[in-house]
């Protein structure tokens, strides 16, 4: 009997090995076959001026869910050899033509190869239905960007970092906790999307309030299924009510004005699908952030309503390669695009130190 079981186990192992070899053979297929054709705009439609110090092109890459992501690639002019690289995304509900592109272009001016990408289901990236956020898939988007950068001939795969703005700051920390290829992570004006969806702003929601929210969102699921469409939550409120809190005024001042408005930005227009909040309520994205061994720099504005997200997340980090930088007098959206406030000298110093 023991011999029969032994033979069965050996046969199973052989089958598994054959299967693994078949998968390995499939992996030699050209990556181009794994990416969908995207309709990418060729015009410069960013909310910031184009730099004459870098070369800019559009690129695409795929994540492990088969979603094709669109990105802007920025390379320093006259650069040679293998460069350190940085993938940038955010804010939550924005597109690469807004804040992330500004960060990417500016860091490219300082000698890094950078990409600013649209997350899955948003902007020029693929994914259906549109305007969905996911703690898993959006964390994966960062790792997919690392996949892409790691396989470029002009990138040093041992010198790759990521930068997440607003809600993508939390995704960046989650990615750094799982992806050991990421050598340095920066978060700017970070939101913990799990915490804010589960607890509300300033943790004002209790279990009863959370239960009522779940009821509303699940009722919305029924309606969406019945109607065959997904109801949008709405972007930044416009016009602003007279009693709007200051942080909504700050959002409006960016997303709804010439300063930051973009036609593909969710926050500038109709917003996310209402039911996008559901997965974040039950899936805390910073559960393993205390196990991040690589370097982390967290930046936040002194007067930002969201400052507590970075301060609390930083307390959980371990090691002497972690730093929290509070920018005096800055609010949340100042770190989106205020060139005199965003500490680019510090960003360059940090990435040069840990991507070497």
């Amino acid at each position: 009997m023991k011999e029969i079981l032994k033979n069965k186990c050996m046969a199973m192992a052989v089958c598994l090995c054959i299967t693994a070899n078949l998968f390995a053979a499939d992996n030699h297929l050209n990556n181009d076959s794994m990416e969908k054709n995207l309709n990418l705009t060729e015009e410069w439609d960013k909310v910031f001026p184009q730099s004459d110090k870098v070369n800019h092109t559009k690129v695409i890459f795929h994540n492990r869910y088969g979603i094709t992501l669109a990105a802007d690639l920025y390379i320093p002019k006259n650069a040679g050899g293998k460069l350190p690289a940085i993938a940038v995304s955010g804010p939550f509900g924005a597109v690469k033509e807004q804040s992330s592109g500004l960060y990417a272009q500016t860091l490219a001016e300082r000698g890094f190869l950078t990409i600013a990408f649209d997350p899955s289901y948003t902007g020029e990236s693929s994914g259906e239905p549109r305007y969905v956020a996911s703690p898993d898939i959006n964390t994966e988007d960062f790792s997919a960007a690392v996949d892409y950068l790691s396989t470029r001939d002009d990138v040093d795969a041992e010198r790759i970092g990521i930068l997440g703005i607003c809600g993508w700051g939390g995704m960046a920390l989650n990615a750094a906790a799982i992806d050991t290829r990421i050598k340095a992570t920066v978060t700017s004006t970070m939101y913990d999307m799990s915490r804010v969806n589960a607890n509300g702003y300033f943790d004002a929601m209790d279990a009863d309030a959370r239960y009522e929210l779940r009821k509303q969102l699940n009722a919305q699921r029924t309606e969406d299924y019945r109607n065959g469409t997904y109801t949008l939550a709405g972007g930044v409120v416009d016009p602003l009510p007279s009693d709007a809190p200051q942080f909504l005024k700050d959002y409006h001042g960016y997303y709804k004005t010439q300063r930051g408005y973009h036609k593909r930005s969710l926050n500038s227009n109709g917003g996310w699908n209402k039911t996008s909040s559901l997965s974040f309520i039950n899936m805390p994205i910073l559960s393993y952030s205390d196990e991040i061994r690589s370097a982390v720099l967290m930046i936040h504005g002194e007067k930002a309503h969201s400052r507590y997200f970075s301060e609390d997340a930083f307390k959980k980090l371990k090691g002497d390669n972690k730093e929290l930088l509070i920018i005096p007098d800055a609010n949340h959206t100042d770190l989106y695009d205020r060139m005199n406030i965003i500490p680019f000298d510090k960003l360059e110093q940090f990435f040069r130190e840990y991507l070497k």
Side-chain angles (χ1 to χ4, degrees), residues 252-295:
H252 187 278
Y254 181 76
Y255 287 109
K256 289 293 190 177
T257 69
Q258 188 176 1
R259 172 185 165 196
Y261 176 84
H262 195 277
K263 61 184 179 182
R264 288 191 295 274
S265 170
L266 282 69
N267 290 341
S268 291
N269 297 285
W272 297 93
N273 291 349
K274 280 188 175 181
T275 54
S276 281
S277 298
L278 273 169
S279 56
F280 287 96
I281 294 174
N282 279 20
M283 298 182 188
I285 58 176
L286 302 184
S287 296
Y288 293 96
S289 60
D290 59 324
E291 298 184 8
I292 299 173
R293 299 188 181 185
S294 56

Side-chain angles (χ1 to χ4, degrees), residues 100-244:
S100 61
L102 176 64
Y103 273 76
Q105 179 176 261
T106 305
L107 288 169
E109 290 178 332
R110 292 167 178 253
F112 302 93
L113 182 149
T114 65
I115 57 172
F117 65 88
D118 284 330
S120 296
Y121 309 107
T122 67
E124 293 186 301
S125 291
S126 71
E128 295 291 340
R130 303 302 292 165
Y131 314 136
V132 177
S134 162
D136 179 19
I137 296 175
N138 295 141
T139 298
E140 159 64 18
D141 288 342
F142 265 120
S143 286
V146 176
D147 293 339
Y148 169 73
L149 292 172
S150 297
T151 55
R152 285 186 61 93
D153 293 337
D154 52 1
V155 169
D156 184 342
E158 296 302 315
R159 294 193 292 163
I160 296 177
I162 61 174
L163 192 158
I165 307 162
C166 186
W168 258 259
M171 307 296 182
L173 285 180
N174 199 26
I178 197 169
D179 196 330
T180 56
R181 300 170 301 171
I182 297 169
K183 299 303 189 292
T185 300
V186 170
T187 69
S188 181
T189 199
M190 188 205 81
Y191 256 57
D192 179 345
M193 296 308 301
S194 295
R195 181 176 177 180
V196 74
N197 276 290
N199 300 338
Y201 281 112
F202 313 111
D203 301 323
M205 288 173 57
D206 60 12
D208 290 336
R210 196 157 38 250
Y211 179 75
E212 290 302 316
L213 175 61
R214 290 189 181 108
K215 285 175 63 178
Q216 293 172 21
L217 292 173
N218 284 297
Q220 187 64 55
R221 288 188 63 144
T222 304
E223 284 302 304
D224 288 349
Y225 195 89
R226 178 181 291 114
N227 297 331
T229 59
Y230 294 89
T231 302
L232 299 180
V236 174
V237 176
D238 186 40
L240 280 172
S242 58
D243 60 347

Side-chain angles (χ1 to χ4, degrees), residues 56-69:
H56 163 263
T57 55
K58 289 287 188 75
V59 297
I60 60 172
F61 56 94
H62 62 272
N63 66 21
R64 65 186 179 90
Y65 292 102
I67 298 170
T68 300
L69 303 179

